[in-house]
Amino acid sequence: REVGYDGKYSATVESAIELVAAEHFDVLIIGGGVTDANASRVEKEVTEILPEIAVQRMNLSREPLYWLKKALGR
């Protein structure tokens, strides 16, 4: 938020899908601790709701802002 982005956090696949169904998002960032199976599931279901959403998996090698800018092509 300090640099002009707003975001929401979800701890489960289900709540991420509910958030995307209720609001518009430009980017979905999947945390490094998410299993491959859950990452694939959330990406599939979220892109069915918002086909234009950018999806970016992140790891702890960089700050979340890096992954957000990468997903947005900045």
Side-chain angles (χ1 to χ4, degrees):
R1 290 186 177 97
E2 294 171 3
V3 294
Y5 298 103
D6 190 18
K8 302 272 175 116
Y9 169 80
S10 172
T12 67
V13 170
E14 293 78 13
S15 64
I17 294 164
E18 289 173 11
L19 279 172
V20 170
E23 300 179 45
H24 175 82
F25 292 90
D26 296 318
V27 176
L28 168 66
I29 297 178
I30 301 172
V34 177
T35 66
D36 287 338
N38 279 343
S40 294
R41 181 174 162 220
V42 75
E43 181 174 357
K44 178 184 180 291
E45 294 193 33
V46 164
T47 56
E48 286 176 2
I49 297 167
L50 280 176
E52 69 280 2
I53 196 168
V55 178
Q56 178 67 54
R57 291 194 72 177
M58 65 172 261
N59 60 49
L60 299 177
S61 69
R62 306 246 184 174
E63 293 295 319
L65 184 58
Y66 167 85
W67 299 106
L68 175 62
K69 289 180 177 180
K70 183 175 180 181
L72 293 171
R74 298 182 182 163

